Amino acid sequence: IYISGPMTGLPELNFPAFHAAAAELRAHGHAVINPAEKQEEAKPDMTWSDYMRLDLRMMMDCDTIHMLPGWTKSKGAMLEYHIASKLGFTITGALR
């Protein structure tokens, strides 16, 4: 399961919400890709586009996307949702 949600402009880049969702999904036995875990390893010169390319590559290893609250206000999460829906992913979480 790939976790998608808003980051840009939020306190702590919304990482606490990503980590909480990952912990809950893992507690239910799911394999989870949490982009917040990878972004904590990021380089300071990475752009939004660089992050999206990294995140989309990780997402392609999944067949389910879990949407966090507020995702409809995030251009990155909207892009991830669009791609996931067109590729037939199962979509869970906050659906609006």
Side-chain angles (χ1 to χ4, degrees), residues 29-80:
H30 297 289
V32 175
I33 294 181
N34 176 1
E37 292 169 352
K38 293 296 181 190
Q39 289 195 13
E40 288 174 339
E41 304 166 8
K43 299 176 182 118
D45 62 341
M46 287 179 67
T47 65
W48 178 86
S49 179
D50 294 331
Y51 284 115
M52 285 307 306
R53 290 170 184 265
L54 173 66
D55 292 349
L56 290 170
R57 281 192 294 273
M58 291 186 296
M59 190 178 95
M60 290 299 102
D61 289 332
C62 299
D63 59 11
T64 300
I65 188 169
H66 182 80
M67 308 307 297
L68 296 179
W71 70 269
T72 59
K73 296 179 180 129
S74 163
K75 68 181 180 176
M78 291 284 290
L79 177 59
E80 292 166 343

Side-chain angles (χ1 to χ4, degrees), residues 15-37:
F15 284 5
F18 278 81
H19 296 320
E24 182 173 338
L25 291 166
R26 287 175 178 144
H28 287 90
H30 297 289
V32 175
I33 294 181
N34 176 1
E37 292 169 352

